[in-house]
Every structure is written in structure tokens, then in C-alpha cells.
Amino acid sequence: MTFPPWGFFAGSAVFHYLGPAFAVLLFGRLEPLAVAGLRIWSAALVFALWRRPALRRIDATVLALGLVLAVMNVTFYLAIARLPLGTVAAIEFLPVIALAALGVRTVRNLAALGAAVAGVYLLTDARLAGEPLGLLLAFANAGLFALYIVLAHRVAARPGGGVDALATAMLVAGGFVIPPALAQASPAMTDPVVLAAGLGVGITSSVIPYVFDQLAMARMARATYALMTSLLPATATVVGVLVLRQLPAPAEAAGVALVIIGVASHQHTASKETTWNRRGSDRRD
């Protein structure tokens, strides 16, 4: 029995915000930029030991993905240091709506997209009174997240395997964040507890979810994956409640419900691209 692609996405959705929620708890010991650096470096270390990526095989797509991962993670951590996790997740989804809209082919999928957009609007509108810098960082992260989906979906379609390209991109990302984050992260280098926590954040935030993303993207059209990312604000809200005690307002709860309805009612239509990707991924599994 083949594991369904939505199962990989569900795993990614949970860890996508579970790791950052734990990272928020580290903000009392380190600056957000330092935590972002520890996340990327620890993930790069895990990928280097696991996949042994070859840096000599870096191409323009992998280099771009590495840069996007670096800047996206930094802006994300700086944003969640100022805004609730669910708010940042809702804003993160907004540019992805365009990617999902490109793949709308039926009335049912148009209605599903509309429900998801309405849900994200409620989640976002409930918190837009936050500080301007936090919102600016959240919107910057949102644009980078949409770019991440495009680049990650591109490497997922490679016959050689998207996970290896991801491993190389993460090493590139680790190099990009050394200049801005190293000085702030230096206190952690002599604190085994903080180092262990940073390693845990890296594994739960940048290894598990990104690998699951590759496995899901290899089996889904980009538009379908983009629509399913509307689950992320709902996931982030639940994680915020359980880990950070960030309770949602009634409007936010309604937004979560609409997001779930939109994703649940979406009808996936296989395309030639997804068929090719699925066959390629089956050969790699």
C-alpha cells in the first residue's frame, strides 16, 4: 500500500510550526536571529551526516533554494518574536493563494479556494493590529515561502532525488546565515542545554518538515500543494494553543474552521506532471 501524499503533507504541517513553537521558548536565552542560525546549522549538520551532499554539484536552483531557506527562516523567526505564531502563519499563506489559483480547474476547487482564503482573512484580520515591523517581516517571509514552494517543487521533480538537493541547499543556507547570526549565537556555544535545544529545533523545524515536503511535492501538483498549505495557519493556531498558550479569538477559530473546510473539499486532479513525479518518486523510494 502506497503512503498517500497528503499524509506526508500532514506530517510536514505539524512539524512546520511545532519546531518554531519550541524555538519561541528559546527566545528567553538567545536572540531570535541566533535561534534561527542554530536551527539552520543543526539541520545542515544532520543533512551532511545523513545524505553527504556534494557541494560541487550546486546549480542555480539549489543555490537559490539555499538563499531562500536562509532569509525565509531568519525573517520568520524575527516575525514570530513580535507576533503570534498563528498570525505569521496566516500571512505566510497569502502569496501562496496565487499559486493555488493557477491550478483551479473546477467549480468545486474554486469554492474550496474561496473558503480557504476567507479563513485566512479572518485569521489575519483578527491580528493586524500588531506592530508594523512584525507585520513587515511576516509579509517578507510570506513572499519567500511562496518562492520556496516553487523552488522546492522544482527540485522534488528531479530524477536524482529532491532530498539530496535539499541537503545541499541547507548547507548553502548555513553558509549564508553565518555573517549575521554567528556573533549572537556565540553564547550558545558554551551552553550544552541550549545547543541540544537548538539541535532539536533544527531537526523538528528544518529536517523533518522539509523532507516531508519533498516526499509530498514529488506526488502532488504544485497548485494542489499550494492550496493544502492553507492548513498551516490552522496547524499553527493549534500549536500556539498547546505549546505557547496563545488562545485564538472567536474570529480566529472561525478562520481555522473555514481553512479546514476549504482543504477538505478540494478535489485533486492528477496531471501529466504529477504522474511523472509520482513515478519518479516511486523509483527512488
Side-chain angles (χ1 to χ4, degrees), residues 18 236-247:
L18 185 61
T237 300
V238 173
V239 171
V241 171
L242 296 178
V243 180
L244 303 176
R245 299 294 187 265
Q246 296 174 344
L247 298 177

Side-chain angles (χ1 to χ4, degrees), residues 23 57 64 80 84 89 138 247:
R57 297 181 180 176
I80 63 174
L247 298 177

Side-chain angles (χ1 to χ4, degrees), residues 25-48:
L25 302 178
L26 270 177
F27 288 169
R29 305 283 292 272
L30 292 172
E31 293 295 324
L33 183 57
V35 179
L38 286 179
R39 165 184 172 169
I40 295 172
W41 295 327
S42 59
L45 176 62
V46 172
F47 276 120

Side-chain angles (χ1 to χ4, degrees), residues 75-76 79 83 87-89 91-92 132-143:
T75 56
F76 177 75
L83 296 172
T87 302
V88 177
I91 294 173
E92 190 172 53
L133 179 58
L135 290 173
L136 179 63
L137 290 165
F139 278 106
N141 169 71

Side-chain angles (χ1 to χ4, degrees), residues 73-172:
N73 283 312
V74 167
T75 56
F76 177 75
Y77 272 47
L78 293 175
I80 63 174
R82 294 167 171 81
L83 296 172
L85 188 60
T87 302
V88 177
I91 294 173
E92 190 172 53
F93 172 69
L94 297 179
V96 182
I97 292 174
L99 296 178
L102 292 175
V104 172
R105 295 291 184 269
T106 66
V107 174
R108 174 175 169 176
N109 284 354
L110 181 63
L113 179 62
V117 171
V120 172
Y121 171 78
L122 287 176
L123 282 166
T124 308
D125 188 57
R127 291 287 189 173
L128 282 182
E131 66 173 81
L133 179 58
L135 290 173
L136 179 63
L137 290 165
F139 278 106
N141 169 71
L144 291 164
F145 184 63
L147 187 55
Y148 158 75
I149 290 178
V150 173
L151 294 172
H153 202 276
R154 186 175 298 171
V155 301
R158 293 184 174 187
V163 175
D164 288 334
L166 170 64
T168 306
M170 192 60 70
L171 288 179
V172 173

Side-chain angles (χ1 to χ4, degrees), residues 2 24 57 69 104 110 119 149 166 193 215 219 230-232:
T2 303
V24 170
R57 297 181 180 176
L69 286 171
V104 172
L110 181 63
I149 290 178
L166 170 64
V193 175
L215 296 174
R219 296 159 172 81
S230 58
L231 273 176
L232 297 182

